[in-house]
PDB file of all heavy atoms in Angstrom:
ATOM      1  N   LYS A1131     -15.116 -20.497   5.756  1.00 92.00           N
ATOM      2  CA  LYS A1131     -16.193 -20.613   4.766  1.00 92.00           C
ATOM      3  C   LYS A1131     -15.782 -21.524   3.559  1.00 92.00           C
ATOM      4  O   LYS A1131     -16.620 -22.121   2.943  1.00 92.00           O
ATOM      5  CB  LYS A1131     -16.618 -19.250   4.243  1.00 92.00           C
ATOM      6  CG  LYS A1131     -17.312 -18.381   5.295  1.00 92.00           C
ATOM      7  CD  LYS A1131     -18.778 -18.796   5.455  1.00 92.00           C
ATOM      8  CE  LYS A1131     -19.531 -17.791   6.314  1.00 92.00           C
ATOM      9  NZ  LYS A1131     -20.940 -18.218   6.461  1.00 92.00           N
ATOM     10  N   GLY A1132     -14.504 -21.448   3.213  1.00 91.00           N
ATOM     11  CA  GLY A1132     -14.031 -22.158   2.016  1.00 91.00           C
ATOM     12  C   GLY A1132     -13.946 -21.235   0.789  1.00 91.00           C
ATOM     13  O   GLY A1132     -14.757 -20.324   0.685  1.00 91.00           O
ATOM     14  N   SER A1133     -13.002 -21.500  -0.130  1.00 87.00           N
ATOM     15  CA  SER A1133     -12.863 -20.623  -1.265  1.00 87.00           C
ATOM     16  C   SER A1133     -14.019 -20.535  -2.207  1.00 87.00           C
ATOM     17  O   SER A1133     -14.251 -19.646  -3.017  1.00 87.00           O
ATOM     18  CB  SER A1133     -11.585 -20.996  -2.084  1.00 87.00           C
ATOM     19  OG  SER A1133     -11.743 -22.387  -2.539  1.00 87.00           O
ATOM     20  N   GLN A1134     -14.894 -21.598  -2.171  1.00 90.00           N
ATOM     21  CA  GLN A1134     -16.094 -21.693  -3.018  1.00 90.00           C
ATOM     22  C   GLN A1134     -17.105 -20.612  -2.578  1.00 90.00           C
ATOM     23  O   GLN A1134     -18.110 -20.445  -3.275  1.00 90.00           O
ATOM     24  CB  GLN A1134     -16.687 -23.045  -3.005  1.00 90.00           C
ATOM     25  CG  GLN A1134     -17.357 -23.437  -1.664  1.00 90.00           C
ATOM     26  CD  GLN A1134     -16.354 -23.973  -0.647  1.00 90.00           C
ATOM     27  OE1 GLN A1134     -15.132 -24.065  -0.920  1.00 90.00           O
ATOM     28  NE2 GLN A1134     -16.844 -24.428   0.469  1.00 90.00           N
ATOM     29  N   ILE A1135     -16.921 -19.926  -1.518  1.00 91.00           N
ATOM     30  CA  ILE A1135     -17.816 -18.853  -1.125  1.00 91.00           C
ATOM     31  C   ILE A1135     -17.999 -17.790  -2.158  1.00 91.00           C
ATOM     32  O   ILE A1135     -19.036 -17.179  -2.264  1.00 91.00           O
ATOM     33  CB  ILE A1135     -17.388 -18.254   0.247  1.00 91.00           C
ATOM     34  CG1 ILE A1135     -18.424 -17.285   0.809  1.00 91.00           C
ATOM     35  CG2 ILE A1135     -16.034 -17.536   0.092  1.00 91.00           C
ATOM     36  CD1 ILE A1135     -18.039 -16.714   2.132  1.00 91.00           C
ATOM     37  N   TRP A1136     -16.944 -17.581  -2.937  1.00 92.00           N
ATOM     38  CA  TRP A1136     -17.038 -16.585  -4.013  1.00 92.00           C
ATOM     39  C   TRP A1136     -17.708 -17.210  -5.270  1.00 92.00           C
ATOM     40  O   TRP A1136     -18.746 -16.784  -5.681  1.00 92.00           O
ATOM     41  CB  TRP A1136     -15.645 -16.113  -4.364  1.00 92.00           C
ATOM     42  CG  TRP A1136     -15.500 -15.203  -5.544  1.00 92.00           C
ATOM     43  CD1 TRP A1136     -14.880 -15.412  -6.726  1.00 92.00           C
ATOM     44  CD2 TRP A1136     -16.051 -13.838  -5.662  1.00 92.00           C
ATOM     45  NE1 TRP A1136     -14.913 -14.374  -7.553  1.00 92.00           N
ATOM     46  CE2 TRP A1136     -15.689 -13.361  -6.981  1.00 92.00           C
ATOM     47  CE3 TRP A1136     -16.829 -13.006  -4.836  1.00 92.00           C
ATOM     48  CZ2 TRP A1136     -16.067 -12.106  -7.395  1.00 92.00           C
ATOM     49  CZ3 TRP A1136     -17.166 -11.763  -5.359  1.00 92.00           C
ATOM     50  CH2 TRP A1136     -16.831 -11.324  -6.582  1.00 92.00           C
ATOM     51  N   GLY A1137     -17.045 -18.161  -5.839  1.00 85.00           N
ATOM     52  CA  GLY A1137     -17.675 -18.926  -6.920  1.00 85.00           C
ATOM     53  C   GLY A1137     -18.074 -18.177  -8.189  1.00 85.00           C
ATOM     54  O   GLY A1137     -18.999 -18.600  -8.899  1.00 85.00           O
ATOM     55  N   LYS A1138     -17.493 -17.024  -8.357  1.00 88.00           N
ATOM     56  CA  LYS A1138     -17.867 -16.193  -9.539  1.00 88.00           C
ATOM     57  C   LYS A1138     -16.691 -16.221 -10.540  1.00 88.00           C
ATOM     58  O   LYS A1138     -16.091 -17.221 -10.827  1.00 88.00           O
ATOM     59  CB  LYS A1138     -18.285 -14.809  -9.089  1.00 88.00           C
ATOM     60  CG  LYS A1138     -19.485 -14.817  -8.192  1.00 88.00           C
ATOM     61  CD  LYS A1138     -19.860 -13.390  -7.802  1.00 88.00           C
ATOM     62  CE  LYS A1138     -21.011 -13.382  -6.853  1.00 88.00           C
ATOM     63  NZ  LYS A1138     -21.424 -12.061  -6.466  1.00 88.00           N
ATOM     64  N   TYR A1139     -16.334 -15.058 -11.037  1.00 92.00           N
ATOM     65  CA  TYR A1139     -15.273 -14.898 -11.982  1.00 92.00           C
ATOM     66  C   TYR A1139     -13.900 -14.761 -11.267  1.00 92.00           C
ATOM     67  O   TYR A1139     -13.842 -14.551 -10.015  1.00 92.00           O
ATOM     68  CB  TYR A1139     -15.503 -13.625 -12.860  1.00 92.00           C
ATOM     69  CG  TYR A1139     -15.757 -12.396 -11.984  1.00 92.00           C
ATOM     70  CD1 TYR A1139     -14.715 -11.581 -11.598  1.00 92.00           C
ATOM     71  CD2 TYR A1139     -17.078 -12.002 -11.661  1.00 92.00           C
ATOM     72  CE1 TYR A1139     -14.978 -10.503 -10.745  1.00 92.00           C
ATOM     73  CE2 TYR A1139     -17.356 -10.921 -10.915  1.00 92.00           C
ATOM     74  CZ  TYR A1139     -16.238 -10.104 -10.478  1.00 92.00           C
ATOM     75  OH  TYR A1139     -16.558  -9.024  -9.698  1.00 92.00           O
ATOM     76  N   ASN A1140     -12.777 -14.852 -12.087  1.00 94.00           N
ATOM     77  CA  ASN A1140     -11.480 -14.612 -11.556  1.00 94.00           C
ATOM     78  C   ASN A1140     -11.267 -13.110 -11.366  1.00 94.00           C
ATOM     79  O   ASN A1140     -11.314 -12.303 -12.319  1.00 94.00           O
ATOM     80  CB  ASN A1140     -10.409 -15.186 -12.544  1.00 94.00           C
ATOM     81  CG  ASN A1140      -9.028 -15.061 -11.908  1.00 94.00           C
ATOM     82  OD1 ASN A1140      -8.431 -14.004 -11.751  1.00 94.00           O
ATOM     83  ND2 ASN A1140      -8.431 -16.260 -11.642  1.00 94.00           N
ATOM     84  N   THR A1141     -11.044 -12.661 -10.113  1.00 94.00           N
ATOM     85  CA  THR A1141     -11.013 -11.239  -9.858  1.00 94.00           C
ATOM     86  C   THR A1141      -9.742 -10.575 -10.404  1.00 94.00           C
ATOM     87  O   THR A1141      -9.764  -9.365 -10.684  1.00 94.00           O
ATOM     88  CB  THR A1141     -11.093 -10.984  -8.316  1.00 94.00           C
ATOM     89  OG1 THR A1141      -9.929 -11.553  -7.675  1.00 94.00           O
ATOM     90  CG2 THR A1141     -12.369 -11.580  -7.752  1.00 94.00           C
ATOM     91  N   TYR A1142      -8.683 -11.374 -10.565  1.00 94.00           N
ATOM     92  CA  TYR A1142      -7.433 -10.786 -11.185  1.00 94.00           C
ATOM     93  C   TYR A1142      -7.681 -10.454 -12.669  1.00 94.00           C
ATOM     94  O   TYR A1142      -7.271  -9.400 -13.124  1.00 94.00           O
ATOM     95  CB  TYR A1142      -6.260 -11.755 -10.988  1.00 94.00           C
ATOM     96  CG  TYR A1142      -5.917 -11.999  -9.612  1.00 94.00           C
ATOM     97  CD1 TYR A1142      -6.015 -13.293  -9.051  1.00 94.00           C
ATOM     98  CD2 TYR A1142      -5.367 -10.973  -8.775  1.00 94.00           C
ATOM     99  CE1 TYR A1142      -5.669 -13.503  -7.711  1.00 94.00           C
ATOM    100  CE2 TYR A1142      -4.993 -11.197  -7.447  1.00 94.00           C
ATOM    101  CZ  TYR A1142      -5.188 -12.449  -6.938  1.00 94.00           C
ATOM    102  OH  TYR A1142      -4.846 -12.686  -5.658  1.00 94.00           O
ATOM    103  N   LEU A1143      -8.327 -11.386 -13.334  1.00 93.00           N
ATOM    104  CA  LEU A1143      -8.657 -11.089 -14.761  1.00 93.00           C
ATOM    105  C   LEU A1143      -9.617  -9.856 -14.866  1.00 93.00           C
ATOM    106  O   LEU A1143      -9.407  -9.028 -15.783  1.00 93.00           O
ATOM    107  CB  LEU A1143      -9.341 -12.343 -15.341  1.00 93.00           C
ATOM    108  CG  LEU A1143      -9.770 -12.243 -16.779  1.00 93.00           C
ATOM    109  CD1 LEU A1143      -8.569 -11.917 -17.692  1.00 93.00           C
ATOM    110  CD2 LEU A1143     -10.507 -13.445 -17.217  1.00 93.00           C
TER     111      LEU A1143
END
Side-chain angles (χ1 to χ4, degrees):
K1131 292 283 190 179
S1133 60
Q1134 68 278 2
I1135 187 177
W1136 173 246
K1138 299 181 182 180
Y1139 51 86
N1140 185 292
T1141 64
Y1142 295 115
L1143 178 62

